[in-house]
Amino acid sequence: MGQKPSKGSISREDLTYLMAHTNHSKKEIKEWHKGFLEDCPDGELTKTQFVEMYVKIFPGGNAEKFSENVFRTFDTDRSGTIDFREFMLALHVTSNGTPEEKLTWAFRMYDVDGNGSIDIHEMKRTIYAVYEMVGTPADTSKADELFKKLDINSDGEISQEEFINIVKEDHKLLNVLKKTTTDL
């Protein structure tokens, strides 16, 4: 996604882009970049590294499936790795993004196959992955209940528009989704 910088430095293009699309200063971005390179010397975070990180954060559960969903959402260019630009943009959206940006990101996490809509199987897969991650038995009714609330036109799919509009208006539903996407 971003330009490949020389070893240890961030490209001017990536720095300019990240300053324009995050709330971080030039100095902060360079500090984040230094830390990123300490953890990922080749400048890319692999899926294996990402999953291992989540396993450490959630040692009591099985974080593998959930972390794969999050990884897929962060890896916007579908390269199989997360570069520094993708990492910083994901960090920005999940921690400082507008409600609409956060909901768009959450929608992409639930939209497992990337076809622009969420079906009941994708909803169940994501909800169950959250339960596994925290080491709690899955409540099978939650996915069905959530799906029915979001599938306004009852066509068996939730569009991004349905997802964002309903969740923005339903604070109870927003809290349910926050529980399934926090601590990312």
Side-chain angles (χ1 to χ4, degrees), residues 158-173:
I158 302 165
S159 69
Q160 185 171 325
E161 184 179 357
E162 282 176 309
F163 184 88
I164 290 172
N165 289 339
I166 298 305
V167 175
K168 275 175 38 179
E169 291 176 16
D170 188 334
H171 295 288
K172 225 170 135 180
L173 194 53

Side-chain angles (χ1 to χ4, degrees), residues 92-146:
H92 170 72
V93 168
T94 58
S95 59
N96 298 309
T98 65
E100 185 113 356
E101 287 172 325
K102 289 179 180 182
L103 289 172
T104 298
W105 181 85
F107 177 84
R108 287 193 354 246
M109 189 176 79
Y110 281 86
D111 181 17
V112 176
D113 64 9
N115 71 348
S117 64
I118 302 167
D119 64 32
I120 187 64
H121 303 294
E122 290 171 313
M123 179 67 68
K124 286 181 179 181
R125 178 178 165 181
T126 305
I127 298 286
Y128 294 171
V130 171
Y131 279 107
E132 277 188 14
M133 177 182 66
V134 296
T136 305
D139 180 350
T140 55
S141 67
K142 288 292 180 202
D144 291 322
E145 182 184 325
L146 186 56

Side-chain angles (χ1 to χ4, degrees), residues 37-86:
L37 287 179
E38 286 173 10
D39 292 334
C40 308
D42 63 354
E44 295 181 326
L45 181 61
T46 67
K47 186 186 283 189
T48 302
Q49 290 170 305
F50 194 81
V51 170
E52 287 172 359
M53 181 178 68
Y54 264 81
V55 169
K56 287 177 186 171
I57 296 169
F58 297 97
N62 179 356
E64 190 166 337
K65 288 180 187 168
F66 183 76
S67 60
E68 286 177 3
N69 285 340
V70 176
F71 182 89
R72 176 185 40 77
T73 307
F74 284 11
D75 180 21
T76 55
D77 67 358
R78 304 278 189 251
S79 67
T81 61
I82 298 170
D83 66 22
F84 182 68
R85 184 189 282 204
E86 290 169 320

Side-chain angles (χ1 to χ4, degrees), residues 2-6 9-16 33 85:
Q3 276 191 350
K4 297 290 181 210
S6 62
S9 67
I10 185 171
S11 73
R12 181 169 293 154
E13 178 189 334
D14 281 351
L15 185 59
T16 303
H33 187 258
R85 184 189 282 204

